[in-house]
Amino acid sequence: MNFLRASWRRYVAWLVLVCLFSAGCVLLSRWQLDRRTEVVSVIDTISNNYNQEPKPLRELLPSLLKPLPANKKWLPVSVTGHYLPEMTTLVRNRSLGGNPGFEVLVPFLSEDNQVVIINRGWVATGSVEDSPDFVPTPNQARLTLVGRLMPTEPALNRSAPVGQIPSIDLPALATMNSARTFINAYLLLDSESTKQPQVKHLPEPKFGEGNHLSYAIQWIIFGVLAFLTLIWAVRKEKHFYRLANDPNYVVKPKRKSETDKDADAEDALISGPELS
């Protein structure tokens, strides 16, 4: 009791700090779990949409008048018409496999007299840093293509050479091309019914859940360890207090492990009397 009276204020302060630390660990753990939930939702959307049968673009027009819903991203759609190759635009600073390059955007005029932007794929940076050596340009033959719905990208406050753009900012592209475009979605090209000059197709996205779950578990472990550390510290201090103030306190001998016992036996044999 004397031990507790001497130190209870300090232990209360320690307990408060440990509780605050553990509460922070719980919040960080929940934050990691929420991030994992978001990632899993994205993965599920891609998995559910990627291998579906293409739907005609005209069936989805009402939903494309608003920002593209998250559950329609990567959904394959088909559209018939022809390219407008004279309006080809390059998206700057796009890497593929660690190599710098550009993505090629070409407007497509549908049979419904609507214009949609098609991302045909990637070309490498050429001998001149600000442009590729060659951009494969499609012709104006009538064809049916399949592409995957993708949302517009944020506008970047950067300049770009003529014929290039810093991001796939669809309203900016509509202004550049003076054409009616679906400003809330573009199509990432998957296939074309008529053979066209090819650029390198962008690969299927690969996503992993990351380490969010393991980080969440680690934060919980840190919170539990904080309480265990507090208990260990209190017991240690109680031990030292009794050593200093209780003359009748006897320290219990440390229990030896089997390894220690074997070492003692060997020492005894070595130091024992020699046989004559």
Side-chain angles (χ1 to χ4, degrees):
M1 295 300 293
N2 292 333
F3 166 72
L4 292 176
R5 282 197 298 268
S7 306
W8 71 269
R9 289 185 179 86
R10 184 153 45 89
Y11 295 145
V12 169
W14 287 2
L15 180 60
V16 170
L17 289 175
V18 167
C19 289
L20 291 174
F21 175 79
S22 297
C25 289
V26 171
L27 291 176
L28 288 169
S29 177
R30 293 188 62 180
W31 174 64
Q32 288 289 350
L33 289 175
D34 289 341
R35 292 189 64 189
R36 178 181 179 271
T37 300
E38 293 173 1
V39 172
V40 170
S41 176
V42 171
I43 294 173
D44 289 343
T45 297
I46 295 173
S47 299
N48 292 335
N49 289 349
Y50 203 85
N51 295 316
Q52 287 194 30
E53 288 297 319
K55 297 180 179 180
L57 183 62
R58 65 171 64 91
E59 293 183 6
L60 300 173
L61 289 184
S63 64
L64 298 181
L65 298 177
K66 302 176 182 179
L68 183 68
N71 64 352
K72 286 186 170 57
K73 188 176 178 181
W74 296 99
L75 190 70
V77 298
S78 62
V79 58
T80 300
H82 65 85
Y83 282 110
L84 303 174
E86 68 278 6
M87 298 181 183
T88 297
T89 305
L90 299 178
V91 190
R92 296 170 56 81
N93 301 320
R94 299 294 171 123
S95 63
L96 184 65
N99 299 312
F102 302 81
E103 289 180 13
V104 182
L105 307 181
V106 185
F108 189 87
L109 180 63
S110 73
E111 290 181 328
D112 302 323
N113 200 33
Q114 300 289 341
V115 176
V116 60
I117 298 297
I118 309 298
N119 184 341
R120 298 196 70 240
W122 181 87
V123 291
T125 298
S127 54
V128 179
E129 183 177 354
D130 281 339
S131 65
D133 290 336
F134 174 71
V135 179
T137 304
N139 57 45
Q140 292 183 297
R142 181 180 180 276
L143 58 85
T144 297
L145 63 80
V146 174
R148 301 181 184 281
L149 288 171
M150 302 296 291
T152 183
E153 296 178 358
L156 300 180
N157 190 22
R158 301 175 188 169
S159 60
V162 176
Q164 298 183 15
I165 196 167
S167 67
I168 307 179
D169 176 14
L170 296 180
L173 279 167
T175 301
M176 288 173 59
N177 295 327
S178 300
R180 289 181 299 161
T181 63
F182 301 136
I183 63 173
N184 293 305
Y186 68 94
L187 296 184
L188 184 61
L189 181 64
D190 185 75
S191 64
E192 296 163 321
S193 62
T194 301
K195 188 174 183 180
Q196 297 283 348
Q198 292 297 306
V199 296
K200 192 166 186 177
H201 279 197
L202 297 176
E204 179 180 349
K206 302 294 183 184
F207 290 103
E209 293 184 11
N211 297 322
H212 301 303
L213 182 59
S214 61
Y215 288 157
I217 295 173
Q218 287 176 15
W219 281 118
I220 294 297
I221 291 173
F222 291 155
V224 173
L225 285 176
F227 281 100
L228 295 178
T229 302
L230 176 61
I231 294 171
W232 176 84
V234 171
R235 292 186 63 181
K236 275 290 183 183
E237 188 158 323
K238 179 181 179 182
H239 170 71
F240 291 130
Y241 180 89
R242 295 188 66 182
L243 280 176
N245 297 280
D246 187 355
N248 297 320
Y249 179 63
V250 177
V251 179
K252 294 181 180 179
K254 183 180 178 181
R255 180 180 296 178
K256 293 185 177 181
S257 66
E258 292 299 325
T259 302
D260 292 335
K261 291 178 181 178
D262 292 341
D264 289 345
E266 290 178 3
D267 291 341
L269 289 173
I270 294 172
S271 60
E274 296 183 0
L275 295 177
S276 56

